Amino acid sequence: MHQARAVALSGVVKMSRILNRLACLAVVATLSACSPAGNEFIGKWQSVKYENRTAEIERNGDNFLIKNTAPSLFGKGAETKLRTATYKDGVLQFSTGMGTADIGYRKDSDILLMPTISGSLEYRRVK
């Protein structure tokens, strides 16, 4: 009788551990599905075509801060511009002198699409 009781308790303990693990997995899955909109943009990026062009995007409260570094227009070193952006309809939007510009993101290839005068440049995530 004593041995049967020990076997039964062992089974209960194992079942309890399995249920605890399943509960933890459910919590992790729920939290990851609820990550704030726009987190896919956060990180360090480098132009696919021009290695001397980089961008760094971080969250700044409800907005995003974009630090974009590129060669100076006058050929003397690099120039860094800081912009604030908001997340709207799946893109980051920031103001330009002539309206707004959108930074896009391609999830399937983890590519950032940075706007340029003639279209956009692809940036890959720096790991």
Side-chain angles (χ1 to χ4, degrees):
M1 172 113 167
H2 184 62
Q3 189 177 13
R5 182 179 240 168
V7 169
L9 283 176
S10 172
V12 169
V13 169
K14 286 179 183 176
M15 183 58 85
S16 176
R17 287 181 182 161
I18 290 170
L19 290 174
N20 280 339
R21 288 181 181 152
L22 287 174
C24 287
L25 286 173
V27 168
V28 168
T30 302
L31 290 176
S32 65
C34 298
S35 64
N39 276 356
E40 63 271 22
F41 291 93
I42 295 174
K44 294 181 181 184
W45 302 85
Q46 182 177 30
S47 170
V48 172
K49 190 173 182 179
Y50 306 105
E51 289 186 1
N52 58 356
R53 294 175 182 260
T54 61
E56 186 171 349
I57 301 174
E58 60 188 46
R59 192 170 286 279
N60 186 25
D62 291 336
N63 297 314
F64 293 83
L65 182 63
I66 303 165
K67 185 181 353 177
N68 198 12
T69 303
S72 172
L73 291 175
F74 304 105
K76 293 184 179 182
E79 204 171 65
T80 299
K81 294 181 181 177
L82 292 174
R83 295 185 168 99
T84 57
T86 57
Y87 182 81
K88 183 178 178 186
D89 298 329
V91 298
L92 289 184
Q93 292 185 334
F94 63 92
S95 294
T96 67
M98 300 179 285
T100 61
D102 294 343
I103 299 174
Y105 176 74
R106 280 201 314 242
K107 185 177 182 175
D108 63 342
S109 54
D110 196 29
I111 292 288
L112 196 68
L113 301 169
M114 292 290 279
T116 65
I117 293 173
S118 61
S120 63
L121 276 177
E122 293 183 343
Y123 280 60
R124 69 177 171 268
R125 190 179 302 272
V126 176
K127 296 179 183 184

